[in-house]
Amino acid sequence: MLRYIFALMFAVATLLPQTVSAQDQASATTPLIAEQQKALDTLTRKADGLEKQIDLDREDDAKLVEIRLGLEDVSREALHSALTFRPRLAEINARLEQLGAPPADGQPAEPDIVKNERSELAAEKAQINGVLAAAQNLSLRSSGIIDRIALMRSELFRSLLTKRYQLTDALSGEVISDANQEFRNFVSSLSSWISFAFKFKFQAVVVATFLALIAAAVLLIGGRRLFGRLIEADPAADEPSYLSRLSVAFWSTLLPTAAMGVFFAATYFFFNSSNVLRGDIGVFLSAAMLILTTVFLVNRLANAALAPGLPNWRLIPVESGSARWLVHLATAMAVVVGISNFLSVVNEQMGSPLSLTIARSFIATIIVGVILILIGLVKPFRTHEGVWRPWPAWLRYSAFLLGGFTIGAALFGYIGLALFVSQQVVVTGTILITAYIGFLSAKAIGEEGGFGGSSAGRWLTSNANIEESTLDQFGLAVSVALNLLIVVVFLPLILLMWGFQPGDIQTWGYKLATGLSIGSVTISFTGILSGLVVFAIGYFLTRWFQGWLDGSVMARGKVDAGVRNSIRLAVGYAGVAVAALVGISAAGIDLSNLALVAGALSLGIGFGLQNVVSNFVSGLILLAERPFKVGDWIVAGDVSGTVRKISVRATEIETFQRQSVILPNSNLINGAVGNWTHRNKLGRVEIKVGVAYGSDVKRVHELLLEIARSHPMVLKNPEPFVQFTNFGTAALEFEVRIYLADILNGGGVQNDIRFAILDAFNREGIEIPSTPRAVVEMPKLEPWPGDDDKMEVEHAERERLKAEAEQKALKSRRKPRKPDPN
């Protein structure tokens, strides 16, 4: 009995530490679950508060955007909370797989420690799944509320454009008194702030303004020094190029406007940091700064495009008087819209009556419509006969249509629609025209010879000695960068003018940065850019390391040129491959997903890429075994020359005629290749010569051997050798065999020895016979007549003469001879 008690105690003592360790493991994961559950509770309360706030701010588009951004943060944090359980879930699943399934009925029972561990892991997994479900539900709920906000904003924008107001209340006499009262309140508020600023914040105001001026001056002066003639038109230029006119119009508009924007932004920032601004004054000041910047932009663009004082720099070929009128009309339209927007901010801050807002918008839209009609009525062109011509029909009727639509919408009470159209005509039109000029400038710079013809290109050509092809490539890069800059700068401005909020742009930017999901594929532009940057860095580091290894390490170590080339190529291929793999990983592409692509490539290799793979493997074998190297003189079939480059696909051989022959590596592996300089450059050359029968062959042998030994480049060991090779049909044949330290010098040495042989044989009277050649004289044939008609006429004439001669002979035979009278 005691024996059984001791055995039981021993078993309990053995199992107790394992059970405690399992319980400790379960308790160690509990704080993580509790922490994430607490975080989800906080996010849930935040989502509840944001959902309640929707009903309070349903008429404020900007507040709805803020609520949507808050809900997107809730959704992201909920998903992040769920991701924190991924490592622990992986551990639990791996351990459960190790433990296996519980025994079925009828099978032996498993140990209690295994059963307890499995139950604890299953309980912990269930808790984690519960938290994951809560996080997923919260994310789905947030997405549903975000969709609801999108519908509310769409309805709000639609109602803003389609809402009709009664003009009778807006045009009553109370509007004037309300406007007078609001003007006095505005002046009182502004004067009180000015008094406060001068009394208590004068030094801060001066310092802030000075710092803002410095920031604007740095941008403007730096831009002028950097771009030079691209900012201001040269009055002395008679016929500036189209690219120069575009560049001046674009940069003379963009840079001063950017400098003014920087000045206003810095002023507001420093005023706000120094506690100079109060709530309403800050709103007024920011609105006034934005409106002044817009008016300045419109005026600069109109002057740059129309150039009233510089006809040669005018982008639109209008008359000078018409150009001035158009500049004044465009500026006046921008001023009217700007004042209307500023008064809208004042009305909102001071709680003005709705009638005052309607009256202000009605007057502004009517004026803008009239200005548009006046622009359409301008006759900017004049013929050679002095007749004024209007705008093209499509442009003229477009101006009439926009102006008439704005006036008509305002008269029928659709003030919101009329105001929206007038703002888009001024602001969006200005932005689009500026962007269009920028795109035209970028296109002109990217064309062949475009950048080289610009002032910057001429400066680079004269100071940096850059070739024309390099300038074209640089101009193409500048064109692409300029296009991207225009899109990044002007696209958000257009979106803001069309009713989108900064939060919308922020959300789109975040989606572009984190990735767009198309089905099961996620495309991240930031990831792709990061991958390209990483690959570029790895590529340039590889090239730098190649140059350093070849030029500093191996060159100082007197490493053979062929070995240096092989090592350099191997390092280059390995570095580029590593850079590509790291770049792909940095781009967020899972390399395991390339298994399908690899399978497809293997199928393609089996059919269409056999030669490519064969050449690639052959190139690797050549680089590893090195049967020849760069600089060797090889003979491969009919090709003989010097190896210039060995790559993984083909080998470049330069013949002695300076012809580059590209041989596939598989031909060099599978065929016989002769290498004159494989282990060393030692080699033998032969010079054949024949002497006439009857010559002293021993003297000939002595002369030839003496000539070979006397040449300074002929080796003494192995020594030269002269062989009497044959009794030829016309001469006694000898062969001079000499060894050279560098076989590449064989041609020059053979030339020298042949000259020496001729001199020696002439001096000794030894004849070098030549084989006589039989001279065969070819009979001279009459040329074939080229004119068949002429030949036929001549033949007919000969036949006629022949016939006449025969007739005369016949007559002479028929006449009897008269007797001689004597």
Side-chain angles (χ1 to χ4, degrees):
M1 184 66 181
L2 291 174
R3 184 177 61 187
Y4 290 108
I5 293 174
F6 284 125
L8 181 61
M9 293 176 61
F10 178 76
V12 172
T14 304
L15 296 177
L16 184 59
Q18 298 179 4
T19 305
V20 172
S21 63
Q23 293 176 353
D24 291 341
Q25 185 178 3
S27 63
T29 58
T30 303
L32 177 62
I33 298 175
E35 179 183 356
Q36 297 305 320
Q37 185 65 52
K38 183 179 179 181
L40 287 177
D41 293 339
T42 303
L43 293 175
T44 302
R45 289 192 296 269
K46 183 178 179 182
D48 294 339
L50 292 173
E51 188 174 11
K52 293 178 181 178
Q53 192 176 352
I54 292 177
D55 296 330
L56 300 176
D57 299 324
R58 60 185 312 112
E59 300 296 332
D60 192 339
D61 187 67
K63 291 295 182 64
L64 290 177
V65 172
E66 293 179 1
I67 296 173
R68 190 195 67 185
L69 292 176
L71 290 170
E72 289 176 351
D73 291 338
V74 169
S75 179
R76 283 194 295 267
E77 292 177 7
L79 293 177
H80 178 73
S81 177
L83 291 176
T84 56
F85 291 107
R86 179 178 293 179
R88 180 56 187 163
L89 274 177
E91 294 176 3
I92 293 174
N93 292 329
R95 183 57 182 161
L96 288 175
E97 186 177 356
Q98 292 176 358
L99 294 177
D105 295 338
Q107 294 182 353
E110 62 183 356
D112 292 339
I113 185 171
V114 176
K115 181 179 180 181
N116 293 335
E117 184 178 1
R118 183 185 292 107
S119 63
E120 290 171 0
L121 291 175
E124 184 180 357
K125 184 177 180 179
Q127 292 178 359
I128 293 176
N129 288 332
V131 177
L132 292 178
Q136 185 177 6
N137 292 334
L138 181 58
S139 178
L140 293 176
R141 178 190 173 193
S142 300
S143 299
I145 300 175
I146 290 173
D147 294 338
R148 177 185 166 194
I149 291 175
L151 292 176
M152 294 175 63
R153 293 184 61 204
S154 178
E155 182 63 28
L156 184 63
F157 182 72
R158 192 182 306 112
S159 64
L160 176 66
L161 296 182
T162 58
K163 187 175 181 180
R164 186 177 181 183
Y165 298 91
Q166 296 294 331
L167 299 180
T168 55
D169 297 334
L171 301 178
S172 62
E174 297 180 359
V175 173
I176 299 176
S177 60
D178 292 338
N180 190 18
Q181 181 63 35
E182 183 171 296
F183 179 74
R184 286 198 300 267
N185 294 336
F186 174 73
V187 171
S188 175
S189 177
L190 185 62
S191 61
S192 64
W193 174 75
I194 293 174
S195 177
F196 160 78
F198 273 88
K199 287 182 180 179
F200 303 102
K201 296 289 184 178
F202 180 76
Q203 184 176 1
V205 169
V206 173
V207 172
T209 306
F210 180 72
L211 293 176
L213 283 173
I214 290 178
V218 168
L219 177 61
L220 188 58
I221 296 174
R224 289 181 181 276
R225 291 183 62 86
L226 180 63
F227 294 98
R229 297 179 181 177
L230 298 179
I231 299 176
E232 293 184 355
D234 185 9
D238 294 332
E239 295 182 358
S241 64
Y242 182 63
L243 175 60
S244 299
R245 287 183 287 160
L246 285 173
S247 300
V248 168
F250 180 70
W251 292 109
S252 65
T253 301
L254 186 61
L255 283 179
T257 306
M260 176 178 253
V262 167
F263 170 72
F264 285 151
T267 301
Y268 184 86
F269 173 77
F270 290 130
F271 279 9
N272 193 29
S273 301
S274 304
N275 295 324
V276 176
L277 300 176
R278 65 189 190 203
D280 56 345
I281 296 300
V283 175
F284 295 154
L285 185 61
S286 61
M289 290 177 174
L290 181 60
I291 290 167
L292 288 175
T293 304
T294 303
V295 173
F296 181 78
L297 172 63
V298 173
N299 182 263
R300 291 292 301 184
L301 178 62
N303 279 282
L306 298 173
L310 298 172
N312 294 334
W313 289 89
R314 198 169 292 158
L315 290 178
I316 304 174
V318 299
E319 295 296 323
S320 298
S322 301
R324 293 188 185 91
W325 267 106
L326 291 172
V327 170
H328 295 330
L329 290 174
T331 307
M333 189 164 50
V335 170
V336 171
V337 174
I339 293 175
S340 174
N341 290 336
F342 181 75
L343 293 178
S344 173
V345 174
V346 173
N347 294 338
E348 182 179 355
Q349 290 296 316
M350 294 192 169
S352 303
L354 181 61
S355 59
L356 189 59
T357 302
I358 296 174
R360 180 258 310 164
S361 302
F362 176 78
I363 295 173
T365 52
I366 292 295
I367 295 176
V368 170
V370 172
I371 293 176
L372 285 173
I373 294 175
L374 291 177
I375 291 176
L377 291 174
V378 171
K379 294 183 178 180
F381 308 108
R382 188 165 56 179
T383 62
H384 296 289
E385 293 79 11
V387 179
W388 290 92
R389 293 190 299 108
W391 294 106
W394 66 270
L395 184 59
R396 183 170 70 256
Y397 292 128
S398 297
F400 292 159
L401 179 62
L402 286 174
F405 180 81
T406 303
I407 296 174
L411 292 176
F412 282 102
Y414 296 99
I415 302 298
L417 178 60
L419 189 62
F420 178 79
V421 172
S422 61
Q423 289 178 350
Q424 302 316 312
V425 168
V426 176
V427 183
T428 305
T430 303
I431 295 173
L432 288 176
I433 292 173
T434 307
Y436 181 68
I437 293 175
F439 283 129
L440 290 178
S441 301
K443 181 181 178 181
I445 290 174
E447 291 179 352
E448 185 176 359
F451 186 76
S454 64
S455 57
R458 290 191 295 269
W459 183 87
L460 288 175
T461 303
S462 59
N463 293 275
N465 195 20
I466 299 178
E467 298 180 356
E468 185 177 354
S469 60
T470 306
L471 278 178
D472 285 337
Q473 296 175 357
F474 187 73
L476 185 61
V478 172
S479 175
V480 173
L482 189 57
N483 283 322
L484 291 176
L485 176 65
I486 293 170
V487 172
V488 171
V489 172
F490 289 97
L491 182 59
L493 295 177
I494 294 174
L495 293 176
L496 290 174
M497 291 309 304
W498 279 82
F500 296 95
Q501 298 294 332
D504 298 322
I505 301 175
Q506 179 183 347
T507 302
W508 296 335
Y510 179 81
K511 289 182 178 180
L512 288 176
T514 55
L516 296 175
S517 296
I518 303 175
S520 59
V521 180
T522 300
I523 301 175
S524 174
F525 293 97
T526 304
I528 294 174
L529 182 61
S530 302
L532 292 176
V533 171
V534 170
F535 174 75
I537 293 174
Y539 178 82
F540 286 113
L541 284 177
T542 300
R543 293 293 179 240
W544 171 83
F545 182 74
Q546 276 184 296
W548 174 80
L549 184 65
D550 184 39
S552 299
V553 178
M554 293 189 291
R556 293 181 182 180
K558 306 297 182 182
V559 181
D560 184 73
V563 178
R564 289 169 57 182
N565 179 72
S566 300
I567 295 176
R568 183 173 64 251
L569 287 176
V571 170
Y573 289 130
V576 172
V578 171
L581 292 176
V582 175
I584 291 173
S585 300
I589 301 174
D590 189 2
L591 295 178
S592 62
N593 294 333
L594 299 179
L596 183 62
V597 179
L601 284 178
S602 63
L603 184 63
I605 289 170
F607 289 97
L609 301 180
Q610 292 182 0
N611 293 333
V612 176
V613 175
S614 175
N615 291 325
F616 179 78
V617 175
S618 300
L620 296 179
I621 294 174
L622 291 177
L623 292 174
E625 291 187 356
R626 298 179 61 248
F628 53 83
K629 56 188 180 296
V630 174
D632 283 356
W633 174 16
I634 68 171
V635 179
D638 297 334
V639 180
S640 176
T642 305
V643 179
R644 292 303 180 194
K645 183 180 180 182
I646 304 174
S647 61
V648 293
R649 191 199 67 83
T651 297
E652 179 184 346
I653 300 174
E654 182 180 328
T655 65
F656 298 107
Q657 291 82 19
R658 298 298 180 182
Q659 179 189 25
S660 294
V661 179
I662 310 299
L663 284 180
N665 290 330
S666 59
N667 294 356
L668 300 174
I669 289 293
N670 299 325
V673 178
N675 190 346
W676 285 91
T677 57
H678 180 43
R679 293 182 177 86
N680 52 56
K681 295 184 178 181
L682 177 65
R684 192 188 79 177
V685 296
E686 297 85 16
I687 301 100
K688 295 181 179 180
V689 63
V691 297
Y693 278 91
S695 302
D696 187 354
V697 292
K698 292 186 178 180
R699 180 57 181 165
V700 170
H701 182 274
E702 292 177 358
L703 286 174
L704 294 177
L705 192 59
E706 180 182 352
I707 292 171
R709 289 173 177 173
S710 63
H711 197 282
M713 299 186 70
V714 175
L715 295 179
K716 302 300 186 289
N717 186 21
E719 64 178 354
F721 180 75
V722 177
Q723 185 174 6
F724 189 176
T725 58
N726 190 25
F727 293 97
T729 57
L732 303 172
E733 298 175 359
F734 290 81
E735 185 175 277
V736 183
R737 300 174 180 175
I738 57 177
Y739 291 88
L740 303 177
D742 190 351
I743 192 64
L744 299 178
N745 297 324
V749 174
Q750 287 177 322
N751 201 44
D752 295 341
I753 291 179
R754 288 191 178 100
F755 278 117
I757 290 174
L758 285 176
D759 293 340
F761 282 8
N762 291 332
R763 187 174 61 250
E764 296 288 336
I766 300 174
E767 180 185 357
I768 299 178
S770 61
T771 303
R773 298 179 180 179
V775 179
V776 179
E777 294 185 359
M778 300 298 294
K780 295 183 179 180
L781 301 177
E782 294 183 1
W784 186 266
D787 192 345
D788 294 341
D789 295 335
K790 181 179 179 181
M791 180 183 67
E792 185 178 357
V793 170
E794 292 177 350
H795 177 72
E797 183 67 17
R798 285 196 300 270
E799 292 294 328
R800 186 182 64 80
L801 295 175
K802 183 178 179 181
E804 290 179 355
E806 290 178 354
Q807 289 179 359
K808 288 181 180 180
L810 182 60
K811 289 180 179 181
S812 62
R813 286 197 299 270
R814 289 178 179 176
K815 290 181 179 181
R817 297 185 63 180
K818 295 180 179 182
D820 189 358
N822 297 322

